[in-house]
Amino acid sequence: MTIRPLADRVVIKMVEAEETTKSGIILTASAQEKPSVAEIVAVGPGGMVDGKEITMNVKVGERVLVSKYAGNEVKVDGVEYSILRQSDILAVVESDAKAPAKKPAEKKTTKK
């Protein structure tokens, strides 16, 4: 079964939360926060929504930041998804590979 969102809605799948901290501390299930990074699985066509023309700015495969409790959760074929409006997406997560390279620091020389 596939999910095809309508209008300005987006289907996302939450990215798995890390079970250990950066310092190596293992977190119990109760101590873990609900992840706020998700991957877009499907995007609606946009169009007229509440009398306004909506253009979809996100694409399938992009990773996005969402509010912890945004959207409606659904389970399809044993997989949990959330369906939310594009306006509920806070930001698109871009990989570091796209970031411009930093220039190396210049060495200062002093004359004696």
Side-chain angles (χ1 to χ4, degrees):
M1 180 182 333
T2 60
I3 302 173
R4 186 175 53 93
L6 303 175
D8 67 334
R9 288 187 171 72
V10 177
V11 178
I12 60 171
K13 181 179 178 186
M14 300 308 283
V15 175
E16 293 295 321
E18 301 247 347
E19 294 181 6
T20 58
T21 63
K22 289 181 182 178
S23 60
I25 298 171
I26 298 173
L27 299 175
T28 62
S30 62
Q32 294 178 15
E33 291 187 19
K34 184 176 177 182
S36 58
V37 176
E39 183 174 347
I40 296 178
V41 177
V43 177
M48 294 297 287
V49 177
D50 298 329
K52 298 178 185 174
E53 182 70 26
I54 302 293
T55 303
M56 300 306 284
N57 298 316
V58 294
K59 297 178 274 197
V60 173
E62 287 185 317
R63 287 184 174 232
V64 294
L65 292 176
V66 296
S67 298
K68 288 184 180 186
Y69 304 105
N72 297 310
E73 294 181 1
V74 295
K75 197 172 208 176
V76 178
D77 296 334
V79 180
E80 290 187 20
Y81 298 99
S82 292
I83 300 174
L84 57 138
R85 290 185 179 268
Q86 177 179 247
S87 60
D88 292 334
I89 296 173
L90 304 174
V92 174
V93 178
E94 295 180 353
S95 67
D96 292 337
K98 294 181 182 179
K102 292 183 179 179
K103 293 181 182 178
E106 293 182 20
K107 292 183 180 178
K108 293 184 180 180
T109 55
T110 57
K111 294 182 182 181
K112 292 185 180 180

XYZ file of all heavy atoms in Angstrom:
833
model
N 0.849 -1.175 0.000
C 0.000 0.000 0.000
C 0.895 1.238 0.000
O 1.932 1.255 0.633
C -0.883 -0.008 1.254
C -1.783 1.175 1.323
S -2.857 1.346 2.773
C -3.160 -0.255 3.372
N 0.510 2.252 -0.737
C 1.242 3.511 -0.746
C 0.346 4.629 -0.235
O -0.885 4.531 -0.290
C 1.740 3.875 -2.164
O 0.608 3.984 -3.019
C 2.684 2.826 -2.697
N 0.978 5.683 0.231
C 0.240 6.843 0.724
C 0.482 7.990 -0.246
O 1.632 8.307 -0.562
C 0.720 7.254 2.127
C 0.560 6.090 3.104
C -0.030 8.468 2.615
C 1.167 6.353 4.462
N -0.584 8.605 -0.731
C -0.483 9.758 -1.635
C -1.141 10.942 -0.944
O -2.373 11.026 -0.869
C -1.167 9.462 -2.968
C -0.978 10.575 -3.998
C -1.566 10.199 -5.345
N -2.949 9.761 -5.285
C -4.001 10.579 -5.458
N -3.815 11.855 -5.694
N -5.226 10.107 -5.398
N -0.335 11.877 -0.419
C -0.915 13.019 0.288
C -1.629 13.978 -0.662
O -1.281 14.074 -1.833
C 0.290 13.686 0.941
C 1.440 13.279 0.101
C 1.109 11.923 -0.454
N -2.624 14.663 -0.153
C -3.391 15.625 -0.929
C -2.986 17.043 -0.565
O -2.481 17.301 0.522
C -4.885 15.430 -0.665
C -5.434 14.027 -0.964
C -6.894 13.942 -0.545
C -5.261 13.691 -2.426
N -3.227 17.970 -1.473
C -3.012 19.411 -1.279
C -1.594 19.688 -0.774
O -0.639 19.266 -1.382
C -4.079 19.990 -0.374
N -1.480 20.407 0.349
C -0.168 20.827 0.856
C 0.367 19.904 1.939
O 1.173 20.297 2.761
C -0.239 22.259 1.376
C -1.116 22.386 2.609
O -2.024 21.554 2.790
O -0.886 23.315 3.395
N -0.066 18.663 1.923
C 0.367 17.725 2.965
C 1.611 16.948 2.535
O 1.869 16.753 1.351
C -0.770 16.790 3.330
C -1.837 17.540 4.106
C -2.903 16.631 4.646
N -3.792 17.316 5.558
C -4.701 18.212 5.225
N -4.820 18.573 3.961
N -5.472 18.762 6.127
N 2.373 16.504 3.545
C 3.620 15.793 3.336
C 3.605 14.556 4.230
O 3.174 14.631 5.378
C 4.821 16.696 3.707
C 6.131 15.962 3.561
C 4.827 17.964 2.865
N 4.078 13.425 3.717
C 4.214 12.212 4.522
C 5.681 12.087 4.895
O 6.557 12.157 4.029
C 3.763 10.956 3.741
C 3.958 9.705 4.580
C 2.316 11.096 3.308
N 5.946 11.924 6.201
C 7.326 11.811 6.668
C 7.494 10.546 7.494
O 6.537 10.003 8.031
C 7.741 13.033 7.514
C 6.841 13.177 8.737
C 7.772 14.288 6.675
C 7.309 14.227 9.725
N 8.724 10.086 7.571
C 9.085 8.960 8.427
C 10.184 9.459 9.346
O 11.204 9.980 8.879
C 9.576 7.786 7.580
C 9.952 6.575 8.390
C 10.394 5.458 7.477
C 10.826 4.266 8.303
N 11.384 3.213 7.442
N 9.977 9.319 10.641
C 10.937 9.813 11.606
C 12.237 9.019 11.505
O 12.234 7.808 11.298
C 10.383 9.722 13.031
C 9.094 10.534 13.217
S 9.191 12.250 12.689
C 10.079 12.967 14.031
N 13.362 9.728 11.658
C 14.677 9.103 11.644
C 14.923 8.527 13.034
O 14.568 9.146 14.037
C 15.760 10.144 11.273
C 17.142 9.550 11.368
C 15.502 10.690 9.882
N 15.498 7.331 13.098
C 15.734 6.665 14.379
C 16.582 7.526 15.300
O 17.566 8.138 14.873
C 16.445 5.326 14.162
C 15.597 4.310 13.439
C 14.370 3.888 14.233
O 14.465 3.730 15.455
O 13.301 3.735 13.609
N 16.212 7.562 16.579
C 16.951 8.319 17.587
C 18.205 7.544 17.974
O 18.214 6.324 17.994
C 16.080 8.541 18.820
N 19.254 8.290 18.301
C 20.484 7.665 18.763
C 20.254 7.085 20.152
O 19.576 7.684 20.973
C 21.600 8.716 18.809
C 21.855 9.352 17.467
C 23.201 9.006 16.921
O 24.024 8.479 17.663
O 23.422 9.279 15.743
N 20.817 5.935 20.413
C 20.651 5.313 21.721
C 21.790 5.641 22.667
O 21.737 5.317 23.832
C 20.499 3.802 21.557
C 19.223 3.434 20.828
C 19.048 1.939 20.671
O 19.857 1.168 21.232
O 18.102 1.541 19.984
N 22.859 6.265 22.149
C 23.965 6.680 23.003
C 24.255 8.147 22.752
O 24.035 8.665 21.660
C 25.242 5.863 22.721
O 25.581 6.021 21.340
C 25.051 4.405 23.027
N 24.769 8.809 23.765
C 25.142 10.213 23.616
C 26.506 10.286 22.956
O 27.192 9.270 22.801
C 25.193 10.921 24.988
O 26.213 10.298 25.772
C 23.853 10.842 25.695
N 26.953 11.488 22.602
C 28.257 11.650 21.973
C 29.383 11.203 22.899
O 30.422 10.759 22.456
C 28.469 13.107 21.561
C 27.601 13.522 20.398
C 27.864 14.947 20.006
C 26.947 15.346 18.869
N 27.138 16.735 18.475
N 29.162 11.322 24.204
C 30.193 10.910 25.160
C 30.133 9.418 25.465
O 30.913 8.918 26.259
C 30.051 11.713 26.454
O 28.781 11.498 27.023
N 29.184 8.671 24.875
C 29.123 7.234 25.032
C 28.146 6.732 26.079
O 28.089 5.547 26.360
N 27.339 7.625 26.651
C 26.370 7.212 27.653
C 25.178 6.581 26.953
O 24.607 7.159 26.035
C 25.918 8.408 28.516
C 27.126 8.982 29.254
C 24.813 8.002 29.480
C 26.833 10.281 29.964
N 24.790 5.386 27.394
C 23.657 4.684 26.794
C 22.376 5.170 27.456
O 22.263 5.182 28.679
C 23.798 3.165 26.951
C 25.059 2.705 26.224
C 22.567 2.449 26.424
C 25.402 1.250 26.438
N 21.393 5.575 26.652
C 20.128 6.091 27.162
C 19.074 4.994 27.204
O 18.966 4.203 26.278
C 19.630 7.235 26.277
C 20.533 8.457 26.163
C 19.964 9.431 25.157
C 20.699 9.132 27.506
N 18.297 4.981 28.267
C 17.171 4.056 28.333
C 16.058 4.594 27.459
O 16.045 5.767 27.084
C 16.661 3.923 29.778
O 16.193 5.194 30.212
C 17.748 3.427 30.705
N 15.094 3.758 27.133
C 13.994 4.171 26.259
C 13.221 5.344 26.852
O 12.777 6.236 26.137
C 13.061 2.998 25.997
N 13.062 5.376 28.168
C 12.298 6.460 28.795
C 13.056 7.778 28.781
O 12.458 8.840 28.862
C 11.927 6.088 30.227
O 13.103 5.895 30.995
N 14.389 7.736 28.675
C 15.177 8.962 28.688
C 15.350 9.562 27.300
O 15.780 10.692 27.165
C 16.555 8.691 29.290
N 15.011 8.811 26.266
C 15.193 9.297 24.907
C 14.058 10.240 24.524
O 12.906 10.009 24.864
C 15.226 8.139 23.915
C 16.429 7.250 24.097
C 16.404 6.083 23.125
O 15.650 6.091 22.165
N 17.226 5.097 23.383
N 14.421 11.304 23.822
C 13.415 12.235 23.327
C 12.892 11.762 21.982
O 13.577 11.050 21.263
C 14.025 13.629 23.149
C 14.369 14.304 24.443
C 14.814 15.738 24.222
O 14.517 16.312 23.156
O 15.450 16.266 25.118
N 11.678 12.177 21.663
C 11.129 11.877 20.354
C 11.973 12.616 19.323
O 12.229 13.811 19.475
C 9.674 12.349 20.295
C 8.976 12.000 19.004
C 7.525 12.410 19.036
C 6.862 12.131 17.711
N 5.475 12.569 17.692
N 12.450 11.942 18.281
C 13.306 12.616 17.303
C 12.541 13.697 16.539
O 11.339 13.589 16.339
C 13.733 11.493 16.366
C 12.677 10.460 16.511
C 12.186 10.556 17.929
N 13.247 14.736 16.156
C 12.590 15.798 15.407
C 13.097 15.869 13.970
O 12.713 16.746 13.226
C 12.793 17.139 16.116
O 14.169 17.418 16.258
N 13.979 14.953 13.575
C 14.461 14.891 12.198
C 13.702 13.773 11.495
O 13.573 12.679 12.020
C 15.975 14.625 12.136
C 16.430 14.476 10.694
C 16.747 15.735 12.822
N 13.189 14.083 10.301
C 12.409 13.104 9.550
C 12.808 13.135 8.085
O 13.354 14.124 7.599
C 10.923 13.408 9.690
N 12.513 12.042 7.399
C 12.754 11.965 5.964
C 11.416 12.032 5.250
O 10.452 11.383 5.653
C 13.467 10.667 5.607
C 13.806 10.588 4.136
C 14.641 9.359 3.809
O 15.154 8.712 4.720
O 14.748 9.061 2.607
N 11.356 12.826 4.183
C 10.114 12.972 3.427
C 9.922 11.749 2.531
O 10.811 11.381 1.770
C 10.119 14.257 2.588
C 10.179 15.474 3.519
C 8.902 14.315 1.681
C 10.241 16.797 2.814
N 8.740 11.131 2.644
C 8.412 9.933 1.890
C 7.530 10.268 0.685
O 7.670 9.676 -0.375
C 7.698 8.914 2.800
C 7.265 7.686 2.042
C 8.594 8.533 3.972
N 6.614 11.224 0.846
C 5.708 11.623 -0.241
C 5.305 13.080 -0.043
O 5.224 13.560 1.082
C 4.470 10.738 -0.250
N 5.057 13.765 -1.152
C 4.682 15.180 -1.130
C 3.416 15.370 -1.964
O 3.316 14.840 -3.068
C 5.818 16.061 -1.718
C 5.426 17.522 -1.763
C 7.102 15.879 -0.923
N 2.475 16.131 -1.424
C 1.253 16.443 -2.151
C 1.529 17.408 -3.295
O 2.607 17.993 -3.389
N 0.539 17.632 -4.166
C 0.732 18.476 -5.336
C 0.692 19.979 -5.068
O 1.033 20.776 -5.944
C -0.433 18.070 -6.245
C -1.498 17.651 -5.293
C -0.775 16.992 -4.157
N 0.269 20.388 -3.884
C 0.109 21.821 -3.620
C -1.202 22.291 -4.220
O -2.191 21.562 -4.226
N -1.240 23.524 -4.725
C -2.454 24.041 -5.344
C -3.188 25.000 -4.432
O -2.609 25.605 -3.540
N -4.490 25.132 -4.637
C -5.305 26.049 -3.843
C -5.662 25.413 -2.500
O -6.277 24.356 -2.458
C -6.581 26.422 -4.588
C -6.347 27.239 -5.845
S -5.588 28.841 -5.505
C -6.953 29.706 -4.795
N -5.250 26.063 -1.411
C -5.556 25.602 -0.062
C -6.082 26.797 0.716
O -5.385 27.803 0.868
C -4.305 25.015 0.630
C -4.623 24.609 2.061
C -3.752 23.840 -0.153
N -7.304 26.700 1.187
C -7.947 27.790 1.931
C -7.916 29.109 1.159
O -7.685 30.175 1.732
C -7.296 27.968 3.301
C -7.443 26.741 4.183
O -8.463 26.032 4.030
O -6.554 26.485 5.018
N -8.091 29.039 -0.154
C -8.133 30.237 -0.980
C -6.779 30.821 -1.334
O -6.698 31.896 -1.918
N -5.703 30.152 -0.986
C -4.358 30.632 -1.297
C -3.630 29.599 -2.141
O -3.771 28.401 -1.934
C -3.557 30.865 -0.005
C -4.135 31.916 0.895
C -3.320 32.038 2.163
C -3.981 33.021 3.115
N -3.285 33.061 4.409
N -2.832 30.078 -3.090
C -2.042 29.192 -3.940
C -0.807 28.733 -3.157
O -0.029 29.547 -2.679
C -1.604 29.923 -5.214
C -0.815 29.071 -6.177
C -1.658 27.993 -6.856
O -2.880 28.170 -6.991
O -1.074 26.974 -7.245
N -0.642 27.420 -3.012
C 0.487 26.855 -2.274
C 1.417 26.139 -3.249
O 0.988 25.271 -4.003
C 0.008 25.852 -1.199
C -0.951 26.509 -0.220
C 1.193 25.213 -0.481
C -0.340 27.581 0.659
N 2.694 26.507 -3.215
C 3.729 25.842 -4.005
C 4.528 24.970 -3.056
O 4.955 25.431 -2.003
C 4.666 26.880 -4.663
O 3.877 27.755 -5.465
C 5.711 26.205 -5.515
N 4.738 23.730 -3.424
C 5.488 22.816 -2.561
C 6.985 23.084 -2.701
O 7.511 23.120 -3.809
C 5.158 21.362 -2.902
C 3.680 21.028 -2.735
S 3.006 21.413 -1.105
C 3.681 20.070 -0.149
N 7.645 23.310 -1.565
C 9.067 23.647 -1.553
C 9.954 22.498 -1.096
O 11.166 22.663 -1.010
C 9.306 24.848 -0.625
C 8.581 26.079 -1.113
O 8.593 26.375 -2.298
N 7.939 26.781 -0.206
N 9.366 21.365 -0.762
C 10.142 20.212 -0.304
C 10.004 19.074 -1.297
O 9.066 19.042 -2.085
C 9.695 19.758 1.108
C 10.027 20.821 2.136
C 8.215 19.433 1.131
N 10.978 18.141 -1.266
C 10.984 17.024 -2.206
C 11.139 15.707 -1.449
O 11.667 15.674 -0.333
C 12.153 17.164 -3.184
C 12.082 18.388 -4.072
C 13.293 18.460 -4.954
C 14.377 19.165 -4.158
N 15.477 19.687 -4.896
N 10.722 14.638 -2.081
C 10.884 13.295 -1.518
C 12.371 13.030 -1.317
O 13.192 13.346 -2.168
C 10.259 12.240 -2.456
C 10.576 10.843 -1.977
C 8.763 12.444 -2.562
N 12.706 12.466 -0.165
C 14.097 12.126 0.141
C 14.810 13.154 0.992
O 15.843 12.849 1.580
N 14.288 14.379 1.062
C 14.923 15.401 1.887
C 14.700 15.104 3.358
O 13.695 14.510 3.750
C 14.366 16.796 1.579
C 14.821 17.366 0.273
C 14.338 18.787 0.059
O 13.167 19.082 0.348
O 15.152 19.598 -0.409
N 15.654 15.515 4.187
C 15.497 15.417 5.645
C 15.063 16.776 6.151
O 15.574 17.800 5.713
C 16.799 14.992 6.307
C 17.103 13.541 6.045
C 18.324 13.090 6.780
N 18.477 11.658 6.590
C 18.635 10.808 7.578
N 18.703 11.234 8.804
N 18.748 9.527 7.330
N 14.108 16.761 7.074
C 13.539 18.004 7.585
C 13.443 17.972 9.103
O 13.466 16.902 9.722
C 12.133 18.260 6.985
C 12.210 18.519 5.490
C 11.191 17.097 7.275
N 13.346 19.154 9.694
C 13.091 19.295 11.127
C 11.620 19.600 11.306
O 11.073 20.454 10.607
C 13.909 20.438 11.714
C 15.419 20.250 11.756
C 16.079 21.521 12.276
C 15.795 19.074 12.616
N 10.986 18.908 12.240
C 9.570 19.134 12.519
C 9.378 19.288 14.021
O 10.214 18.855 14.813
C 8.687 17.974 11.998
C 8.755 17.874 10.492
C 9.081 16.659 12.622
N 8.280 19.906 14.410
C 7.938 19.998 15.822
C 7.713 18.600 16.368
O 7.290 17.699 15.635
C 6.661 20.823 16.013
O 6.863 22.121 15.546
N 7.968 18.413 17.646
C 7.862 17.085 18.244
C 6.479 16.467 18.071
O 6.341 15.273 17.919
C 8.196 17.151 19.725
C 9.651 17.379 19.975
C 9.948 17.338 21.446
C 11.415 17.582 21.677
N 11.787 17.411 23.061
N 5.437 17.279 18.124
C 4.081 16.730 18.093
C 3.290 17.185 16.869
O 2.078 17.230 16.893
C 3.363 17.097 19.389
C 4.138 16.620 20.586
C 4.853 17.512 21.375
C 4.201 15.274 20.891
C 5.600 17.065 22.456
C 4.939 14.813 21.965
C 5.632 15.717 22.749
O 6.376 15.265 23.808
N 3.992 17.508 15.783
C 3.322 17.971 14.567
C 2.713 16.801 13.804
O 3.234 15.692 13.812
C 4.318 18.698 13.666
N 1.602 17.046 13.147
C 1.002 16.071 12.250
C 0.200 14.990 12.928
O 0.002 14.983 14.141
N -0.287 14.075 12.099
C -1.066 12.928 12.559
C -0.287 11.657 12.254
O 0.157 11.461 11.127
C -2.418 12.880 11.831
C -3.261 14.090 12.139
O -3.453 14.443 13.294
N -3.737 14.751 11.098
N -0.143 10.808 13.248
C 0.592 9.566 13.060
C -0.318 8.482 12.498
O -1.463 8.349 12.922
C 1.206 9.124 14.382
C 2.272 10.078 14.874
C 2.911 9.643 16.187
O 2.541 8.572 16.723
O 3.780 10.367 16.660
N 0.205 7.744 11.514
C -0.524 6.626 10.923
C 0.434 5.452 10.794
O 1.652 5.632 10.717
C -1.113 6.978 9.531
C -2.161 8.058 9.628
C -0.027 7.395 8.565
N -0.119 4.243 10.765
C 0.689 3.043 10.607
C 0.210 2.324 9.351
O -0.966 1.999 9.230
C 0.537 2.151 11.832
C 1.597 1.108 11.973
C 1.467 0.411 13.321
C 2.819 -0.093 13.756
N 2.770 -0.684 15.085
N 1.127 2.108 8.403
C 0.801 1.440 7.148
C 1.787 0.296 6.954
O 3.000 0.517 6.950
C 0.885 2.423 5.955
C 0.604 1.709 4.649
C -0.057 3.585 6.152
N 1.262 -0.900 6.803
C 2.090 -2.095 6.630
C 3.143 -2.221 7.726
O 4.293 -2.588 7.466
C 2.752 -2.103 5.249
C 1.743 -2.196 4.123
O 0.643 -2.742 4.361
O 2.058 -1.728 3.014
N 2.794 -1.863 8.954
C 3.698 -2.001 10.092
C 4.722 -0.893 10.233
O 5.562 -0.942 11.114
N 4.678 0.110 9.371
C 5.624 1.228 9.433
C 4.875 2.475 9.860
O 3.795 2.766 9.346
C 6.290 1.463 8.052
C 7.274 2.618 8.119
C 6.973 0.199 7.569
N 5.461 3.230 10.822
C 4.813 4.446 11.307
C 5.236 5.660 10.485
O 6.423 5.870 10.238
C 5.164 4.672 12.778
C 4.503 3.663 13.683
C 4.706 3.991 15.153
O 5.007 5.158 15.480
O 4.558 3.073 15.965
N 4.253 6.427 10.061
C 4.468 7.659 9.311
C 3.717 8.784 10.009
O 2.820 8.540 10.811
C 3.920 7.532 7.878
C 4.570 6.460 7.044
C 3.967 5.217 6.873
C 5.774 6.693 6.406
C 4.548 4.233 6.098
C 6.370 5.707 5.619
C 5.755 4.490 5.478
O 6.339 3.524 4.709
N 4.069 10.012 9.662
C 3.299 11.172 10.100
C 2.881 11.939 8.861
O 3.651 12.054 7.900
C 4.129 12.082 11.009
O 4.393 11.455 12.233
N 1.667 12.451 8.883
C 1.172 13.286 7.780
C 0.950 14.677 8.351
O 0.240 14.853 9.340
C -0.139 12.731 7.205
C 0.070 11.308 6.681
C -0.656 13.644 6.085
C -1.195 10.614 6.216
N 1.601 15.669 7.739
C 1.482 17.035 8.222
C 1.462 18.001 7.056
O 1.745 17.632 5.924
C 2.639 17.368 9.170
C 4.046 17.202 8.609
C 4.906 18.370 9.042
C 4.638 15.930 9.150
N 1.107 19.232 7.343
C 1.115 20.272 6.318
C 2.547 20.764 6.106
O 3.363 20.724 7.025
C 0.228 21.440 6.726
C -1.249 21.102 6.703
C -2.075 22.353 7.010
N -3.482 22.052 6.967
C -4.246 22.189 5.885
N -3.718 22.625 4.774
N -5.519 21.894 5.933
N 2.825 21.241 4.904
C 4.151 21.772 4.612
C 4.514 22.883 5.591
O 5.663 23.005 6.006
C 4.212 22.282 3.166
C 5.542 22.903 2.814
C 5.603 23.383 1.392
O 6.350 22.830 0.620
N 4.822 24.383 1.035
N 3.546 23.678 6.010
C 3.817 24.796 6.923
C 4.248 24.323 8.312
O 4.787 25.106 9.085
C 2.587 25.699 7.032
O 1.492 24.966 7.531
N 4.027 23.033 8.645
C 4.473 22.485 9.930
C 5.943 22.091 9.919
O 6.512 21.761 10.949
C 3.630 21.271 10.314
C 2.199 21.650 10.642
O 1.969 22.811 11.052
O 1.305 20.797 10.488
N 6.574 22.098 8.747
C 7.995 21.778 8.636
C 8.780 23.025 9.018
O 8.537 24.109 8.494
C 8.354 21.313 7.213
C 7.625 20.005 6.909
C 9.859 21.155 7.049
C 7.776 19.534 5.482
N 9.722 22.858 9.950
C 10.487 23.996 10.446
C 11.670 24.351 9.556
O 11.974 25.530 9.364
C 10.989 23.700 11.863
C 9.908 23.338 12.877
C 10.541 22.926 14.189
C 8.948 24.494 13.070
N 12.368 23.339 9.028
C 13.559 23.589 8.220
C 13.934 22.341 7.444
O 13.544 21.231 7.800
C 14.727 23.995 9.118
N 14.719 22.533 6.387
C 15.281 21.427 5.622
C 16.712 21.232 6.113
O 17.464 22.199 6.258
C 15.274 21.732 4.107
C 15.983 20.638 3.321
C 13.848 21.909 3.610
N 17.092 19.987 6.404
C 18.445 19.676 6.874
C 19.304 19.407 5.657
O 19.018 18.506 4.875
C 18.435 18.443 7.801
C 19.849 18.101 8.251
C 17.525 18.685 8.988
N 20.351 20.206 5.495
C 21.251 20.030 4.358
C 22.528 19.376 4.852
O 23.007 19.656 5.944
C 21.567 21.375 3.716
C 20.328 22.019 3.105
C 20.616 23.349 2.452
O 21.755 23.856 2.579
O 19.708 23.888 1.817
N 23.103 18.497 4.038
C 24.326 17.799 4.441
C 25.504 18.753 4.390
O 25.494 19.760 3.687
C 24.575 16.605 3.524
O 24.873 17.060 2.218
N 26.566 18.411 5.131
C 27.762 19.242 5.181
C 28.496 19.267 3.853
O 29.271 20.157 3.589
C 28.712 18.738 6.271
C 28.128 18.961 7.656
O 27.262 19.845 7.794
O 28.540 18.256 8.597
N 28.249 18.297 2.993
C 28.927 18.235 1.698
C 28.571 19.439 0.832
O 29.352 19.855 -0.009
C 28.572 16.949 0.971
N 27.389 20.014 1.044
C 26.972 21.160 0.251
C 27.522 22.475 0.796
O 27.478 23.491 0.136
C 25.442 21.248 0.212
C 24.799 20.102 -0.527
C 23.303 20.266 -0.544
C 22.627 19.103 -1.246
N 21.174 19.230 -1.242
N 28.028 22.449 2.034
C 28.539 23.669 2.656
C 29.834 24.087 1.968
O 30.640 23.246 1.578
C 28.780 23.445 4.141
N 30.037 25.391 1.805
C 31.266 25.844 1.161
C 32.475 25.498 2.025
O 32.408 25.518 3.246
C 31.080 27.358 1.038
C 30.020 27.710 2.017
C 29.176 26.486 2.194
N 33.574 25.163 1.359
C 34.791 24.802 2.080
C 35.382 26.028 2.755
O 35.384 27.129 2.198
C 35.795 24.197 1.105
N 35.892 25.818 3.964
C 36.507 26.921 4.695
C 37.920 27.127 4.182
O 38.635 26.181 3.868
C 36.545 26.616 6.190
C 35.187 26.577 6.824
C 35.313 26.348 8.312
C 33.953 26.324 8.969
N 34.052 26.075 10.407
N 38.326 28.383 4.121
C 39.687 28.687 3.711
C 40.621 28.402 4.869
O 40.285 28.674 6.026
C 39.795 30.166 3.306
C 39.018 30.520 2.070
C 39.205 31.966 1.731
C 38.404 32.360 0.516
N 38.553 33.786 0.202
N 41.818 27.883 4.581
C 42.764 27.641 5.670
C 43.221 28.964 6.263
O 43.318 29.983 5.576
C 43.912 26.892 4.994
C 43.757 27.126 3.540
C 42.325 27.457 3.295
N 43.491 28.945 7.556
C 43.927 30.161 8.240
C 45.308 30.567 7.710
O 46.188 29.737 7.515
C 43.969 29.925 9.738
N 45.457 31.862 7.479
C 46.738 32.358 6.985
C 47.690 32.511 8.144
O 47.306 32.935 9.238
C 46.532 33.711 6.281
C 45.729 33.602 5.007
C 45.606 34.948 4.321
O 46.416 35.846 4.608
O 44.684 35.091 3.522
N 48.968 32.158 7.902
C 49.975 32.298 8.940
C 50.473 33.735 8.941
O 50.744 34.320 7.897
C 51.134 31.349 8.672
C 50.762 29.898 8.820
C 51.989 29.037 8.608
C 51.628 27.578 8.761
N 52.790 26.717 8.525
N 50.536 34.283 10.121
C 51.065 35.646 10.253
C 52.543 35.551 10.530
O 52.992 34.780 11.383
C 50.354 36.377 11.369
C 48.907 36.648 11.086
C 48.278 37.448 12.181
C 46.820 37.721 11.884
N 46.176 38.501 12.940
N 53.316 36.306 9.798
C 54.757 36.314 10.021
C 55.151 37.674 10.532
O 54.599 38.707 10.141
C 55.522 36.013 8.712
O 55.112 36.948 7.724
C 55.209 34.606 8.225
N 56.083 37.664 11.419
C 56.592 38.928 11.963
C 58.049 39.092 11.536
O 58.808 38.131 11.482
C 56.506 38.957 13.497
O 57.215 37.851 14.024
C 55.044 38.880 13.953
N 58.414 40.286 11.235
C 59.784 40.579 10.823
C 60.574 40.988 12.045
O 60.099 41.733 12.899
C 59.810 41.696 9.785
C 59.165 41.284 8.484
C 59.265 42.393 7.491
C 58.586 42.011 6.192
N 58.688 43.076 5.210
N 61.800 40.491 12.108
C 62.664 40.837 13.236
C 63.688 41.854 12.830
O 64.181 41.938 11.792
C 63.375 39.607 13.780
C 62.410 38.665 14.438
C 63.162 37.545 15.046
C 62.227 36.574 15.719
N 62.888 35.482 16.325
